[in-house]
Amino acid sequence: MKHQEQAIYALREHKTSRYDRRLILKIVKEVENGLLHKEAIRIYGLGKSTLCDWMKDYGSVDYHENHKRKSYSALEKRTIVTAIEQGRLTIREAKIAYNIKSENSLRDWISQYKSEKVEICIKNTAPMAKNTPFTDPEKEALHKALQEAELKIKALNTLIDVAEEQLSIVIRKKSGAKQSQK
């Protein structure tokens, strides 16, 4: 009969007390060896953020490499959504192909992308133009030019948003910003 030693950990006196470091390391090792986060939280009475912080602080390099949370840029999201909308991929196939954790994330991206497309397609007419009947061909031409200009502005704003995100630079000057000294 083998003799197993059971480690005795210092008990927490109250909720604000710290956990015994040996217990923290034991829990982290169990999670790395396959214990589900939900189970560890239930067994040890932890909060989600506590366990996540411990895994971040005490987890092995191998654990971190295999459990990185992937973030997707707006351009990547649009590309994936476009592939789904064009029927080249199903939601499930996209989830697997792009290593996305949840199909719900994809559904959120699809609804977000649809609302962006609708926003771009909405005709934005000037309030005065709605009330004024156009009888003169010159006024009609001006009205059409105004609509085209508004559409160009919206397109340029979209391009600036994409450029700011991809290049990680601020293009638009913030209101109230001080001018640089030369």
Side-chain angles (χ1 to χ4, degrees), residues 17-59:
S17 299
R18 295 189 176 271
Y19 283 89
D20 188 329
R21 185 176 166 91
R22 294 170 298 169
L23 176 62
I24 294 171
L25 296 175
K26 174 184 179 257
I27 295 169
V28 167
K29 188 174 181 180
E30 287 178 7
V31 170
E32 286 182 345
N33 290 331
L35 180 65
L36 296 175
H37 281 238
K38 285 182 180 179
E39 284 299 305
I41 289 166
R42 184 185 59 78
I43 292 169
Y44 295 102
L46 304 172
K48 284 183 185 179
S49 61
T50 300
L51 183 58
C52 287
D53 289 345
W54 289 354
M55 296 310 295
K56 185 174 64 176
D57 295 340
Y58 302 107

Side-chain angles (χ1 to χ4, degrees), residues 72-179:
Y72 296 88
S73 70
L75 183 61
E76 289 172 319
K77 290 177 184 178
R78 283 190 191 105
T79 304
I80 295 167
V81 168
T82 303
I84 293 169
E85 286 184 336
Q86 292 176 348
R88 292 183 286 162
L89 291 173
T90 64
I91 291 178
R92 177 167 283 171
E93 290 169 342
K95 176 183 176 269
I96 294 166
Y98 292 96
N99 196 23
I100 299 168
K101 296 272 186 202
S102 166
E103 289 181 13
N104 287 336
S105 296
L106 286 167
R107 287 188 184 91
D108 290 344
W109 296 352
I110 290 168
S111 64
Q112 177 187 357
Y113 183 71
K114 283 182 181 175
S115 70
E116 284 178 9
K117 281 184 13 184
V118 168
E119 189 178 299
I120 289 173
C121 294
I122 291 175
K123 207 179 218 182
N124 192 8
T125 58
M128 286 179 57
K130 290 179 184 175
N131 300 332
T132 309
F134 292 106
T135 54
D136 187 42
E138 271 185 28
K139 287 183 180 178
E140 286 183 32
L142 286 173
H143 179 67
K144 187 175 181 181
L146 177 63
Q147 287 178 328
E148 287 178 9
E150 288 172 343
L151 191 59
K152 284 181 183 178
I153 290 169
K154 190 164 256 187
L156 289 171
N157 282 330
T158 304
L159 285 172
I160 290 171
D161 291 340
V162 171
E164 284 182 333
E165 182 179 321
Q166 287 182 353
L167 302 174
S168 300
I169 59 172
V170 178
I171 296 173
R172 286 189 187 92
K173 193 168 188 176
K174 304 293 182 230
S175 63
K178 294 179 183 176
Q179 292 185 350

